Amino acid sequence: MTTNVQILLYVLAASVAIVLNLLYIAMFLEAILSWFMPEDRMIMVVLTAITSPIVLPVRMLLSRIPALARLPIDLSFFVAFLLLGVISSMLPALPLP
């Protein structure tokens, strides 16, 4: 029975790690491509649709801090990018059962 639980935990941890890595790559691509492509290009629309569920809650939280709300740049994308990296590094490295 414990082997089934170990396999399930391994599959779950691996799946979460894959999703987080894909989000991390999508955010990186969006950040780089935003310098060269307009926002109405299909690839930018898709990347924004993928990353906005991560960035928008961070943007809402940061807008509540008065000092950050007055900044001329939007730090929410950068903070969300860092948070994904931190969450990815906190995932346990489960050995294959």
Side-chain angles (χ1 to χ4, degrees), residues 79-93:
V79 171
F81 191 75
L82 287 177
L83 282 174
L84 275 180
V86 168
I87 291 169
S88 291
S89 68
M90 288 173 42
L91 280 178

Side-chain angles (χ1 to χ4, degrees), residues 55-66:
V55 176
L56 290 179
V58 174
R59 184 172 290 142
M60 288 173 42
L61 285 173
L62 292 181
S63 69
R64 293 181 180 182
I65 302 171

Side-chain angles (χ1 to χ4, degrees), residues 34-91:
S34 69
W35 294 345
F36 306 108
M37 288 188 177
E39 292 179 3
D40 60 346
R41 297 287 294 261
M42 183 57 83
I43 186 74
M44 291 302 293
V45 170
V46 170
L47 288 173
T48 303
I50 292 170
T51 61
S52 61
I54 306 298
V55 176
L56 290 179
V58 174
R59 184 172 290 142
M60 288 173 42
L61 285 173
L62 292 181
S63 69
R64 293 181 180 182
I65 302 171
L68 294 178
R70 291 189 300 261
L71 285 177
I73 59 172
D74 183 18
L75 292 177
S76 59
F77 194 87
F78 179 68
V79 171
F81 191 75
L82 287 177
L83 282 174
L84 275 180
V86 168
I87 291 169
S88 291
S89 68
M90 288 173 42
L91 280 178

